[in-house]
Amino acid sequence: MSSPISSVPRSAREQKPLYASFGFQVLVAMVVGLALGYVARQMGPDDAGVANWLTVTLSTIGSSFVSLLRALVPVLVFTAIVASIANLRELNNAARLVWQTLIWFAITALIAVVIGIALGLILQPGLHTAVTESAARAPSTTGSWLDFLKGLIPSNILGLSASTRVTDGSASTSLSFNVLQVLVISIAVGVAALRVGPAADPFLAFNRSFLKVVHKLLWWVIRLTPIGTIGLLGNAVAVYGWDALAQLGWYSAAIYIGLALVLFVVYPVLLGANGLNPLRFFQGAWPAIQLAFVSRSSIGTLPLTEQVTENNLGVPREYAAFAVPLGATTKMDGCASIYPAISAIFVAQFFGVDLGVQDYLLIAFVSVIGSAATAGLTGATVMLTLTLSTLGLPLEGVGLLLAVDPILDMGRTAVNVAGQALVPTIVARRQGILDQAAYDRGEIVEASDGHLAPAE
């Protein structure tokens, strides 16, 4: 996509010092976050068991940053999807783009789940663990096919849901958006606007204008990423540390080996097979992958994922605005493929349950078809319980893995987001609509309109 600075030669632009680079700032923030998290963990809680001031500060900074990102997600998804559907009519191959996107979602998910199954059988993490059966307990949140199908139907036009928690005799109610329902609503509104015809033009014009306002707000929040990274990563180290990895060493190793194979072997091979330089992809997508690692939320990272996919990787705005939000709710190679495959095998091995060929086929089926059940939420308990219940394995096995889940979720979410940027890039390349020059540039600079844009 063109930008206000794209026609200015590199030599005519002032080169920013390294410390002003967005990626460098995030990298430094990760180092600072790790250091502060280590200090906070060494300080420990007070005599009453209350977290120390540094841990509380890091937690507040991190959670506030994620809250700001999530606050923009519903309106961003709605306006972006409606605008993209309206703009898809300008593309001759709109229907093919949609089908190609879904097919590549399935292909990459299938490859990831096969890797997960293979690692589970080779490393046998359920037979090499220090946890005991006393740690097994059923999770408070479970997933089922019926719940997933019912969740697709919006209960209200805003996709809002409310939950009430009673603690010490007092009740508190919180509101949240079901992003999958927002996606369904957005698609329906966009299609309806197209069917209405000229009468919907004022609405579509307002939606495009509103989307520009949302992008400006988004840019302001994204600029806070280094600060948010310090809080998120620091709090993770302070609260969880790495002690729990010792008890589930083989299991944790299997998960991270699988994630590494998908991210650094499978994805580069797919990019190379489609004539794309893998290094350029990681250079362009890295800001979103970094944020996904520390935030542990595909939905929280969605605004930045869309930005880098469009501006750094050269995917047309009309297509990126549709494919990336769709991927954020249904494209989960980490949470919905690698993780449930290895975890299900772990639970089966731990409880002495033999799995047959049909069970492994079921794992693959659930991973490819049911990944939308995670809906971009932090964590993948819903997806794991869906897999275990489909296989008839004890749900209490989830409790064995909760100790290391936050640590594993960092890597899982990073792979999720990488895949959400990868598929639109590959599809755009195969359909001949990728801005190859933008992809090959790979460098990120700040455009005058407040967006991340590629340099010349």
Side-chain angles (χ1 to χ4, degrees), residues 100-276:
Q100 284 286 313
T101 302
L102 296 176
I103 289 173
W104 276 96
F105 280 179
I107 290 174
T108 52
L110 182 59
I111 294 173
V113 74
V114 169
I115 291 175
I117 293 173
L119 288 173
L121 294 176
I122 294 171
L123 298 181
Q124 297 184 321
L127 303 180
H128 303 85
T129 177
V131 297
T132 61
E133 195 165 337
S134 60
R137 63 184 186 276
S140 58
T141 303
T142 60
S144 69
W145 289 105
L146 181 60
D147 291 336
F148 166 60
L149 294 175
K150 288 168 59 178
L152 289 173
I153 304 174
S155 55
N156 54 75
I157 191 61
L158 298 177
L160 274 172
S161 60
S163 59
T164 302
R165 177 179 298 179
V166 179
T167 306
D168 298 330
S170 61
S172 60
T173 301
S174 60
L175 298 177
S176 61
F177 286 94
N178 185 316
V179 180
L180 199 56
Q181 291 185 6
V182 174
L183 184 70
V184 172
I185 295 169
S186 306
I187 293 175
V189 171
V191 173
L194 290 183
R195 297 298 298 271
V196 167
D201 289 345
F203 166 74
L204 294 177
F206 170 77
N207 183 78
R208 287 192 296 270
S209 178
F210 194 15
L211 180 58
K212 289 185 178 295
V213 174
V214 173
H215 277 165
K216 175 61 70 174
L217 293 171
L218 167 65
W219 170 249
W220 292 344
V221 175
I222 287 176
R223 289 305 304 163
L224 299 175
T225 297
I227 298 175
T229 297
I230 294 175
L232 289 165
L233 197 55
N235 181 66
V237 174
V239 174
Y240 303 107
W242 308 100
D243 299 336
L245 287 175
Q247 290 185 317
L248 292 164
W250 278 97
Y251 169 75
S252 302
I255 294 290
Y256 266 99
I257 290 173
L259 295 174
L261 287 174
V262 171
L263 184 60
F264 298 117
V265 177
V266 174
Y267 288 174
V269 168
L270 292 177
L271 288 165
N274 286 277
L276 295 170

Side-chain angles (χ1 to χ4, degrees), residues 16-28 223 226 287 290 443-446 452:
K16 289 187 176 182
L18 181 61
Y19 64 82
S21 166
F22 182 78
F24 179 76
Q25 291 172 359
V26 174
L27 183 61
V28 171
R223 289 305 304 163
Q290 281 181 323
E443 184 181 347
I444 305 170
V445 298
E446 181 179 341
L452 292 175

